[in-house]
C-alpha cells in the first residue's frame, strides 16, 4: 500500500499459467531475483519458464528497456551485484565463470567485471549499508572487494 501511494508499480510473476499439464508445470518462482537481473536499462532473464514473467518482461520493454534472455543460470540478482561501474559476480560452478564474464562484457557492456567462486548467493555474502561501508561475512576479508573505493 505504501509503495502504491509513492507511485511504485508492483509486478508479480503470473503463476496461473494454464496451458501446461499439471505434472509439467514448474513451481512458481519464489524469488524473482533468482531469474531476473536489471543492470542499467537491461533486464536479463535466465528462466526457461518465461511465461511466469511475461507481464513483467512486457512492462519492462514498454518502458524502453532491453530484455535479454540467457541460458546462464549465474546471471541473476542473487549472484551479480553492481557498484557504480564495477560488476561483481559469483558462481557455484567454477567452469561457468568465464562464460558469465564474457556474457556480461558483451551483452551488458560493462568493462570492470570481477568474477570469483563463492558458494551461496552473493546477496548473502555482503551488503552495502551506506557509502563507504560494506557489511560482509568473515570470508570476505581476503577478497578484492575490500579494495573497492565505494562511494
Amino acid at each position: 500500500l505504501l509503495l502504491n501511494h509513492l507511485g511504485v508499480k508492483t509486478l508479480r510473476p503470473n503463476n496461473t499459467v494454464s496451458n501446461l499439464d499439471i505434472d509439467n508445470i514448474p513451481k512458481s518462482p519464489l524469488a524473482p531475483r533468482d531469474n531476473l537481473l536489471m543492470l542499467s536499462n537491461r533486464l536479463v532473464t535466465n528462466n526457461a519458464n518465461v511465461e511466469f514473467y511475461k507481464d513483467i518482461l512486457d512492462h519492462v520493454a514498454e518502458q524502453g528497456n532491453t530484455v535479454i534472455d540467457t541460458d546462464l543460470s549465474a546471471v541473476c540478482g542473487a549472484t551479480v551485484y553492481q557498484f557504480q561501474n564495477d560488476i561483481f559476480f559469483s558462481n557455484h560452478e567454477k567452469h561457468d565463470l568465464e562464460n558469465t564474464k564474457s556474457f556480461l562484457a558483451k551483452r551488458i557492456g560493462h568493462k570492470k567485471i570481477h568474477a570469483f567462486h563463492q558458494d551461496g548467493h552473493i546477496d548473502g555474502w555482503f551488503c552495502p549499508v551506506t557509502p563507504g561501508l560494506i557489511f560482509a561475512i568473515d570470508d570476505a576479508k581476503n577478497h578484492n572487494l575490500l579494495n573497492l573505493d565505494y562511494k
Side-chain angles (χ1 to χ4, degrees), residues 89-105:
F89 78 92
S90 67
N91 194 338
H92 301 296
E93 305 296 330
K94 290 181 182 179
H95 65 274
D96 276 347
L97 288 175
E98 284 305 314
N99 291 337
T100 303
K101 188 173 183 176
S102 176
F103 173 85
L104 291 169

Side-chain angles (χ1 to χ4, degrees), residues 85-90 101 112-116 143-144 148:
N85 295 322
D86 290 79
I87 291 181
F88 287 81
F89 78 92
S90 67
K101 188 173 183 176
K112 297 179 183 178
I113 302 171
H114 311 276
F116 59 96
H143 192 270
N144 62 359
L148 180 66

Side-chain angles (χ1 to χ4, degrees), residues 88 114-118 125-126 134 136-148:
F88 287 81
H114 311 276
F116 59 96
H117 172 72
Q118 174 73 32
W125 190 67
F126 67 87
I134 296 174
I137 62 173
D138 193 48
D139 290 350
K141 65 185 171 191
N142 295 319
H143 192 270
N144 62 359
L145 179 66
L146 297 176
N147 299 322
L148 180 66

Side-chain angles (χ1 to χ4, degrees), residues 16-91:
T16 62
V17 176
S18 61
N19 62 345
L20 296 173
D21 180 291
I22 192 69
D23 294 329
N24 294 320
I25 296 178
K27 292 184 173 43
S28 60
L30 297 176
R33 62 111 201 246
D34 289 342
N35 304 115
L36 303 173
L37 173 66
M38 191 79 185
L39 292 172
S40 300
N41 65 340
R42 295 171 182 90
L43 177 70
V44 180
T45 177
N46 67 15
N47 189 353
N49 307 310
V50 175
E51 65 271 12
F52 285 112
Y53 296 113
K54 183 175 180 347
D55 295 342
I56 295 172
L57 301 178
D58 290 346
H59 177 78
V60 168
E62 289 168 5
Q63 303 301 309
N65 300 294
T66 302
V67 176
I68 301 170
D69 190 38
T70 181
D71 60 355
L72 295 169
S73 64
V75 181
C76 68
T79 59
V80 179
Y81 207 98
Q82 181 175 358
F83 287 101
Q84 298 165 334
N85 295 322
D86 290 79
I87 291 181
F88 287 81
F89 78 92
S90 67
N91 194 338

